[in-house]
Amino acid sequence: MVQKNCRIRFHLELKVKCFGTMAAVGNRGVVTEAAGFKAEEDVQKLRAAMKGVGTDESGIIEVLAHRTIAQRQLIKQAYKQSVGKELADDLQSELTGNFESVVLGLLKLAPKYDVDELRTAMKGAGTEEACLIDILASRTNAEIKTITACYNKDQERNLEEDICSDTSGMFQRVLVSLLTAGRDESNKVDQALAVQDAKDLFEAGEARWGTDEVKFLTVLCVRNREHLLQVFQEYQKLSGRDIEASIKREMSGSLEDAFLAIVKCIRSKPAFFAERLYKSMKGLGTTDTVLIRVMVARAEIDMLDIKAEFLKMYGKTLHSFIKGDTSGDYRKILLELCGGE
């Protein structure tokens, strides 16, 4: 039995390594590996939190908000072995609302979480275009390829076909381009090409009547980050206007949102997500889908950088914003994923 358990754990750890999170690369997350981790002990804590009348939400937060994605997979496996049920099913029967959404999101491997978000965004009447943009504009080629493979297998559907059936026009073409995961990811900057790209973008937008959106797609969805940063500088020199300002002048709706997201992610993903979090909470009401998606997806990747950008951009801490805009156990778990002030 011990040998079998070790074998199961080895295969699970291998699966997490291959399909889990990219957090280890940057190591800028708030959530880090718990020292002295023992999955079986965490299982007992979770069982105790759900046993009897009522639920000890604090006990659930204490465990799941302070374990990495990889550690949570081992907890899920140990729970199933010792209880004979899926941990997610038991938690779902105990919890409700936004708190439940956060907890269940934390249990998923990174690609699986993105897949479920994408499917939810396209299921039923209407489409949450913001979700499609948030995920496809910010993930690496490798991440997009994994998401696509996971979606096609898990949902028994085709991600590109679903996106094409749910979107239209140039917005659809931008998403399909991002979905090919073909962006150059080298650091090579061709100065002459950067100048030409800036000129092409200017002539495709500001310098003509109407806009040639295909030229924007060709440059913004294909070139590498370092090259595009140079293109943006050349564009500013040529037009006297920032590329984001030109996109806002030339486009509208979801297409504008998509191109702006691409530019912002090229410049700084943490700043992009800081803005998404700010807009999800400012004013009346809270866009909980966005707030939850960013907090769950980025907690282990770059939340430290997102917090720093949030403070720099808005003069207030992300912690204080979340505290003032949410309540109850939902607030508690988000604050844990956010870390301190």
Side-chain angles (χ1 to χ4, degrees):
M1 179 61 76
V2 172
Q3 189 176 17
K4 182 182 177 183
N5 286 347
C6 288
R7 191 163 61 247
I8 291 170
R9 176 168 292 197
F10 170 77
H11 287 304
L12 185 57
E13 287 174 335
L14 184 64
K15 181 181 178 185
V16 170
K17 186 177 180 181
C18 293
F19 299 108
T21 176
M22 301 295 287
V25 177
N27 197 30
R28 296 295 298 162
V30 165
V31 177
T32 57
E33 284 194 355
F37 168 73
K38 290 179 181 167
E40 294 76 12
E41 290 183 4
D42 283 343
V43 167
Q44 295 309 313
K45 290 176 185 175
L46 290 169
R47 288 189 69 188
M50 291 185 280
K51 196 164 58 178
V53 179
T55 306
D56 176 14
E57 287 85 356
S58 296
I60 293 169
I61 294 170
E62 181 190 341
V63 173
L64 297 182
H66 298 97
R67 305 292 184 270
T68 62
I69 293 173
Q71 289 176 329
R72 292 184 206 120
Q73 304 316 301
L74 297 173
I75 293 169
K76 283 166 61 179
Q77 183 65 36
Y79 191 93
K80 190 172 183 177
Q81 285 176 337
S82 63
V83 181
K85 294 176 69 179
E86 295 286 353
L87 175 57
D89 291 342
D90 278 356
L91 286 168
Q92 195 166 15
S93 68
E94 295 281 332
L95 310 176
T96 59
N98 291 323
F99 179 62
E100 176 192 345
S101 297
V102 176
V103 169
L104 294 181
L106 291 174
L107 292 181
K108 299 173 184 177
L109 290 167
K112 169 65 173 166
Y113 184 70
D114 284 344
V115 163
D116 288 347
E117 288 293 292
L118 289 169
R119 185 67 197 124
T120 299
M122 294 185 282
K123 199 162 55 177
T127 306
E128 189 197 346
E129 289 87 356
C131 175
L132 307 183
I133 294 168
D134 283 357
I135 292 174
L136 297 182
S138 66
R139 304 309 191 248
T140 65
N141 287 346
E143 288 168 337
I144 289 175
K145 286 175 183 175
T146 304
I147 290 165
T148 301
C150 183
Y151 187 100
N152 294 352
K153 182 180 178 182
D154 187 66
Q155 300 293 323
E156 296 183 342
R157 303 174 67 91
N158 184 280
L159 178 54
E160 183 177 334
E161 288 176 4
D162 280 357
I163 284 175
C164 286
S165 69
D166 248 60
T167 59
S168 60
M170 187 54 62
F171 176 56
Q172 177 192 100
R173 290 168 68 175
V174 170
L175 295 181
V176 169
S177 177
L178 294 173
L179 204 58
T180 64
R183 181 183 297 283
D184 171 20
E185 289 186 333
S186 72
N187 293 319
K188 183 182 176 184
V189 177
D190 183 329
Q191 184 60 37
L193 181 59
V195 171
Q196 185 60 51
D197 282 343
K199 184 181 177 185
D200 287 347
L201 290 176
F202 180 66
E203 291 177 351
E206 296 280 4
R208 58 175 283 168
W209 182 260
T211 308
D212 179 4
E213 293 100 343
V214 175
K215 181 53 68 176
F216 278 82
L217 185 157
T218 302
V219 174
L220 296 180
C221 296
V222 176
R223 307 286 193 251
N224 73 61
R225 180 176 185 269
E226 295 302 321
H227 181 88
L228 281 173
L229 291 175
Q230 189 61 42
V231 171
F232 300 159
Q233 287 185 27
E234 296 298 333
Y235 186 89
Q236 178 82 43
K237 287 184 204 170
L238 180 65
S239 68
R241 186 172 280 120
D242 184 81
I243 186 69
E244 289 183 34
S246 287
I247 290 170
K248 289 175 184 176
R249 282 165 58 93
E250 295 295 316
M251 298 167 202
S252 61
S254 296
L255 180 61
E256 175 190 336
D257 293 339
F259 278 135
L260 285 176
I262 292 167
V263 170
K264 288 172 181 177
C265 284
I266 288 293
R267 284 177 161 162
S268 168
K269 285 183 187 178
F272 169 72
F273 286 117
E275 183 183 31
R276 296 294 288 132
L277 288 169
Y278 176 76
K279 288 185 175 179
S280 76
M281 292 182 281
K282 75 165 188 173
L284 292 173
T286 306
T287 310
D288 294 296
T289 53
V290 175
L291 176 56
I292 293 169
R293 182 165 58 243
V294 176
M295 295 303 296
V296 170
R298 310 310 292 188
E300 197 176 327
I301 299 175
D302 53 2
M303 188 55 67
L304 292 172
D305 297 326
I306 291 170
K307 287 168 62 178
E309 289 292 340
F310 194 98
L311 180 60
K312 186 166 75 174
M313 292 163 71
Y314 304 110
K316 294 183 179 179
T317 65
L318 176 59
H319 189 280
S320 68
F321 242 70
I322 292 171
K323 192 173 182 179
D325 219 65
T326 57
S327 61
D329 296 309
Y330 176 45
R331 172 201 280 165
K332 289 176 186 175
I333 197 166
L334 289 181
L335 290 179
E336 293 301 316
L337 296 177
C338 171
E341 290 275 8

